[in-house]
Amino acid sequence: AFRTINVRPYVVILFKDKTARTSTAEGSNPTWNEQLQIPINFKLDQLKGSLCIQLFDEFVDDLLEDDRLGMSEIYQRISRKWIGELRIPITSIYTNQRIEGTFELNSPKILLGYSKSSLNPGTVSIFTENLPDTRGPIYLSLFIGLEPNFDQPYFTTKYLDCMESDQIKGTIQIWSMEYSNEFPHRFSDLLVTLTTGKRVTITKLLGALEVPFDVREASRECLIRRFVSLIPVLQTTDPLGQLNGVWLTNNEILTHMYATPKDLAVLLTCYYMYLDFSVWLVFGEDRVVGPTCYVLIKENGNFYLVDPVSGRKYSSSDTYCPLVKVSLLANQSNVWGNIQSEKRVYLTQFDVKKSVDWRPLFRKNVDIPGDFLQDTTFEYKRTYPVSDLQKVIEMKLMKKISQWRGHRKTIWNRFLRDQLKSVLIELEAATTSELSASGFPLNIPYYSLSHIVERVKSTGLHMNMDNRVEFALAVHIHPYENNVLSVWIFLLSLLPRV
């Protein structure tokens, strides 16, 4: 993402109050080959957090004669800028015990303090120079291991009562046995457990559900991904949250406002069906989460995989897609098992009509289970006014940043706070005449106030030690139906230009 910029990156890993960091590298394609360790106590309260992997750019400021600190011999000041982060739930590390791969960092498209090179060598374009660098994603390759390894308790719901007919149960039992014998490392359980303790075929959870906005919206496909990704995700080591655990209906998700990734995938699949997409629920394995569900859609003749937690849509041939295994596809009419020898997802063929690639559960002589179990009468609630919450978040963050800075004075730029709410990309140009700005917008689903405070603190922007530094902060909340909230925070540090 920073091919034309001289960067000195380093990585910090953070969990609770424990941190570790790498050495500082040079350039935009660094290699560390370093091992960092953080102790984790797997108590219940510890499992609620995430391992935060932060990428920073270290830079050195040369101090002018009148800027040196008294009679000391400090001629340079070392500081840092936050570039991006990767958050891995501790529950995923606990469950998988080993996570390895190349991951895309969550980095804002706007990073003030970085500028694009001019289009033509030898010429200077103020407009181009002042635009934040938004060229592309940032990737980090890493390996995470848990020591010592341990055996996890086994859990199954397969002995609970099944609501299906004897014919359906017999068909599923024979199909699953044959499939698991042929592909022992692929998920093959076609019955899911509801909160009632009853087991049903996954097809009964799939069907059209009304979306929470006007379907005439041009961006309706993006909106359903956005809405679902903002629903708080329950991170738990409880086996009930796994694929062979308990599955929630739309009423339960939207009433309690939490879900596991598999539940969000089902909800998103149902929304796509309402919009008349060709869509399937995917049973597979995510590089971070482990066994989970994605959504597969066919759009303009091309297949795309959608992560319901992040809302990201990947081409089925994207080598950076976090989904690393595909076992089953399902819609309201059938389930298909992946019988391809190819294990790499980006080379997998997704046309279920090809019997050499996909094995259907139900043939023409079997009556497909009916009785759609989602609540088609669910009424979305109008979201409460968010202006008060917006003010609470803003005041809380300003207070916390002042506390984190300790004895150093914290000056807030009130003028830019108002400007930030309406001006984002052009803010850099508006401040270049007098101030040098570093900052970024953060977009966070609203879980709790403490969650937002922790996300802001982890960026380290408050750690600027220059006594001339000023800060600007703005908060904007975009409400969706049913009290689903998208929180935007724009945070800047500002220094007078020399």
Side-chain angles (χ1 to χ4, degrees), residues 44-70:
L44 188 59
D45 60 331
Q46 297 280 306
L47 292 174
K48 296 179 180 178
S50 294
L51 179 69
C52 187
I53 302 168
Q54 303 272 4
L55 179 65
F56 289 95
D57 178 17
E58 182 179 87
F59 60 99
V60 179
D61 290 325
D62 293 324
L63 303 182
L64 298 179
E65 194 70 34
D66 59 357
D67 192 32
R68 293 177 184 168
L69 305 180

Short mmCIF file of all heavy atoms in Angstrom, two decimals, residues 44-70:
data_model
loop_
_atom_site.label_atom_id
_atom_site.label_comp_id
_atom_site.label_asym_id
_atom_site.label_seq_id
_atom_site.Cartn_x
_atom_site.Cartn_y
_atom_site.Cartn_z
N LEU A 44 -12.31 -17.49 32.20
CA LEU A 44 -13.50 -17.09 31.46
C LEU A 44 -13.43 -15.64 31.02
O LEU A 44 -13.75 -15.30 29.89
CB LEU A 44 -14.75 -17.34 32.30
CG LEU A 44 -16.09 -17.15 31.57
CD1 LEU A 44 -16.18 -18.10 30.38
CD2 LEU A 44 -17.25 -17.36 32.52
N ASP A 45 -12.95 -14.73 31.90
CA ASP A 45 -12.92 -13.31 31.55
C ASP A 45 -11.86 -13.02 30.50
O ASP A 45 -11.98 -12.09 29.72
CB ASP A 45 -12.70 -12.45 32.80
CG ASP A 45 -11.39 -12.77 33.48
OD1 ASP A 45 -10.93 -13.92 33.38
OD2 ASP A 45 -10.82 -11.87 34.11
N GLN A 46 -10.77 -13.81 30.48
CA GLN A 46 -9.72 -13.61 29.50
C GLN A 46 -10.16 -14.02 28.09
O GLN A 46 -9.69 -13.47 27.10
CB GLN A 46 -8.47 -14.41 29.89
CG GLN A 46 -7.84 -13.99 31.21
CD GLN A 46 -6.97 -12.75 31.05
OE1 GLN A 46 -6.08 -12.71 30.22
NE2 GLN A 46 -7.25 -11.73 31.84
N LEU A 47 -11.04 -14.98 28.00
CA LEU A 47 -11.46 -15.50 26.70
C LEU A 47 -12.37 -14.54 25.94
O LEU A 47 -12.68 -14.78 24.78
CB LEU A 47 -12.18 -16.84 26.88
CG LEU A 47 -11.29 -18.00 27.37
CD1 LEU A 47 -12.13 -19.22 27.66
CD2 LEU A 47 -10.23 -18.33 26.33
N LYS A 48 -12.79 -13.46 26.57
CA LYS A 48 -13.68 -12.52 25.91
C LYS A 48 -12.93 -11.56 24.99
O LYS A 48 -13.54 -10.89 24.17
CB LYS A 48 -14.45 -11.71 26.96
CG LYS A 48 -15.39 -12.54 27.82
CD LYS A 48 -16.10 -11.67 28.85
CE LYS A 48 -17.04 -12.49 29.72
NZ LYS A 48 -17.71 -11.66 30.75
N GLY A 49 -11.61 -11.48 25.12
CA GLY A 49 -10.85 -10.49 24.37
C GLY A 49 -10.31 -11.02 23.05
O GLY A 49 -10.62 -12.12 22.62
N SER A 50 -9.50 -10.18 22.42
CA SER A 50 -8.86 -10.52 21.16
C SER A 50 -7.37 -10.23 21.25
O SER A 50 -6.94 -9.30 21.96
CB SER A 50 -9.45 -9.72 20.00
OG SER A 50 -10.80 -10.05 19.77
N LEU A 51 -6.58 -11.02 20.54
CA LEU A 51 -5.17 -10.71 20.37
C LEU A 51 -5.08 -9.66 19.28
O LEU A 51 -5.51 -9.89 18.14
CB LEU A 51 -4.39 -11.97 19.98
CG LEU A 51 -2.89 -11.77 19.75
CD1 LEU A 51 -2.19 -11.46 21.06
CD2 LEU A 51 -2.28 -13.00 19.10
N CYS A 52 -4.54 -8.51 19.61
CA CYS A 52 -4.48 -7.39 18.67
C CYS A 52 -3.07 -7.30 18.10
O CYS A 52 -2.10 -7.20 18.85
CB CYS A 52 -4.86 -6.09 19.37
SG CYS A 52 -5.01 -4.69 18.26
N ILE A 53 -2.97 -7.37 16.79
CA ILE A 53 -1.69 -7.28 16.09
C ILE A 53 -1.66 -5.95 15.35
O ILE A 53 -2.40 -5.75 14.39
CB ILE A 53 -1.50 -8.46 15.12
CG1 ILE A 53 -1.61 -9.78 15.89
CG2 ILE A 53 -0.18 -8.36 14.39
CD1 ILE A 53 -1.71 -10.99 15.02
N GLN A 54 -0.84 -5.02 15.83
CA GLN A 54 -0.82 -3.65 15.31
C GLN A 54 0.42 -3.43 14.44
O GLN A 54 1.51 -3.92 14.75
CB GLN A 54 -0.77 -2.65 16.48
CG GLN A 54 -1.91 -2.79 17.47
CD GLN A 54 -3.11 -1.97 17.07
OE1 GLN A 54 -3.14 -1.35 16.03
NE2 GLN A 54 -4.12 -1.97 17.93
N LEU A 55 0.24 -2.69 13.36
CA LEU A 55 1.36 -2.29 12.50
C LEU A 55 1.56 -0.79 12.63
O LEU A 55 0.61 -0.01 12.44
CB LEU A 55 1.09 -2.66 11.05
CG LEU A 55 2.17 -2.28 10.04
CD1 LEU A 55 3.46 -3.06 10.31
CD2 LEU A 55 1.71 -2.51 8.61
N PHE A 56 2.79 -0.40 12.97
CA PHE A 56 3.13 1.01 13.13
C PHE A 56 4.26 1.40 12.18
O PHE A 56 5.05 0.55 11.77
CB PHE A 56 3.57 1.31 14.57
CG PHE A 56 2.46 1.25 15.58
CD1 PHE A 56 2.23 0.08 16.30
CD2 PHE A 56 1.66 2.35 15.83
CE1 PHE A 56 1.21 0.01 17.24
CE2 PHE A 56 0.63 2.29 16.77
CZ PHE A 56 0.41 1.12 17.48
N ASP A 57 4.30 2.68 11.87
CA ASP A 57 5.41 3.25 11.11
C ASP A 57 6.19 4.15 12.05
O ASP A 57 5.66 5.13 12.59
CB ASP A 57 4.86 4.05 9.92
CG ASP A 57 5.96 4.70 9.11
OD1 ASP A 57 7.13 4.30 9.26
OD2 ASP A 57 5.65 5.62 8.32
N GLU A 58 7.45 3.81 12.28
CA GLU A 58 8.30 4.61 13.16
C GLU A 58 9.01 5.68 12.34
O GLU A 58 9.55 5.39 11.26
CB GLU A 58 9.33 3.70 13.84
CG GLU A 58 10.24 4.42 14.81
CD GLU A 58 11.22 3.46 15.47
OE1 GLU A 58 12.30 3.24 14.89
OE2 GLU A 58 10.88 2.93 16.54
N PHE A 59 8.98 6.89 12.81
CA PHE A 59 9.68 7.94 12.08
C PHE A 59 10.38 8.87 13.06
O PHE A 59 10.02 8.96 14.24
CB PHE A 59 8.74 8.72 11.15
CG PHE A 59 7.61 9.42 11.85
CD1 PHE A 59 7.68 10.76 12.14
CD2 PHE A 59 6.47 8.71 12.22
CE1 PHE A 59 6.63 11.40 12.78
CE2 PHE A 59 5.42 9.35 12.86
CZ PHE A 59 5.51 10.70 13.14
N VAL A 60 11.41 9.53 12.55
CA VAL A 60 12.29 10.37 13.37
C VAL A 60 12.12 11.82 12.94
O VAL A 60 12.26 12.15 11.75
CB VAL A 60 13.76 9.93 13.22
CG1 VAL A 60 14.66 10.84 14.06
CG2 VAL A 60 13.92 8.48 13.63
N ASP A 61 11.82 12.68 13.90
CA ASP A 61 11.73 14.12 13.64
C ASP A 61 13.04 14.78 14.03
O ASP A 61 13.53 14.60 15.15
CB ASP A 61 10.60 14.75 14.47
CG ASP A 61 9.23 14.32 13.97
OD1 ASP A 61 9.09 14.14 12.75
OD2 ASP A 61 8.33 14.13 14.81
N ASP A 62 13.62 15.52 13.10
CA ASP A 62 14.78 16.33 13.42
C ASP A 62 14.31 17.62 14.09
O ASP A 62 13.50 18.36 13.53
CB ASP A 62 15.57 16.67 12.15
CG ASP A 62 16.21 15.43 11.54
OD1 ASP A 62 16.64 14.56 12.32
OD2 ASP A 62 16.26 15.33 10.30
N LEU A 63 14.83 17.89 15.30
CA LEU A 63 14.40 19.06 16.04
C LEU A 63 15.23 20.27 15.64
O LEU A 63 16.46 20.20 15.52
CB LEU A 63 14.55 18.82 17.55
CG LEU A 63 13.79 17.59 18.09
CD1 LEU A 63 13.96 17.50 19.60
CD2 LEU A 63 12.32 17.67 17.73
N LEU A 64 14.57 21.42 15.45
CA LEU A 64 15.28 22.65 15.14
C LEU A 64 15.93 23.20 16.39
O LEU A 64 15.67 22.77 17.53
CB LEU A 64 14.31 23.67 14.54
CG LEU A 64 13.63 23.24 13.22
CD1 LEU A 64 12.67 24.33 12.77
CD2 LEU A 64 14.67 22.96 12.14
N GLU A 65 16.80 24.21 16.18
CA GLU A 65 17.58 24.76 17.29
C GLU A 65 16.68 25.23 18.43
O GLU A 65 16.93 24.96 19.59
CB GLU A 65 18.43 25.92 16.77
CG GLU A 65 19.53 26.35 17.75
CD GLU A 65 20.61 25.30 17.84
OE1 GLU A 65 20.89 24.64 16.82
OE2 GLU A 65 21.18 25.14 18.94
N ASP A 66 15.59 25.94 18.09
CA ASP A 66 14.72 26.48 19.13
C ASP A 66 13.68 25.48 19.61
O ASP A 66 12.83 25.80 20.40
CB ASP A 66 14.01 27.74 18.63
CG ASP A 66 13.17 27.47 17.39
OD1 ASP A 66 13.20 26.32 16.90
OD2 ASP A 66 12.48 28.40 16.93
N ASP A 67 13.80 24.25 19.11
CA ASP A 67 12.84 23.23 19.49
C ASP A 67 13.48 22.16 20.38
O ASP A 67 12.83 21.23 20.79
CB ASP A 67 12.26 22.57 18.24
CG ASP A 67 11.05 21.71 18.56
OD1 ASP A 67 10.32 22.05 19.51
OD2 ASP A 67 10.86 20.69 17.87
N ARG A 68 14.76 22.30 20.64
CA ARG A 68 15.44 21.30 21.46
C ARG A 68 15.04 21.46 22.91
O ARG A 68 14.75 22.57 23.39
CB ARG A 68 16.96 21.43 21.28
CG ARG A 68 17.37 21.05 19.86
CD ARG A 68 18.85 21.23 19.63
NE ARG A 68 19.18 20.94 18.24
CZ ARG A 68 20.34 21.21 17.67
NH1 ARG A 68 21.29 21.80 18.36
NH2 ARG A 68 20.54 20.90 16.41
N LEU A 69 15.08 20.38 23.63
CA LEU A 69 14.54 20.37 24.98
C LEU A 69 15.60 20.86 25.97
O LEU A 69 16.42 20.08 26.46
CB LEU A 69 14.07 18.96 25.34
CG LEU A 69 13.05 18.35 24.36
CD1 LEU A 69 12.67 16.95 24.82
CD2 LEU A 69 11.82 19.23 24.25
N GLY A 70 15.59 22.15 26.22
CA GLY A 70 16.51 22.71 27.19
C GLY A 70 17.97 22.53 26.77
O GLY A 70 18.35 22.73 25.62
#
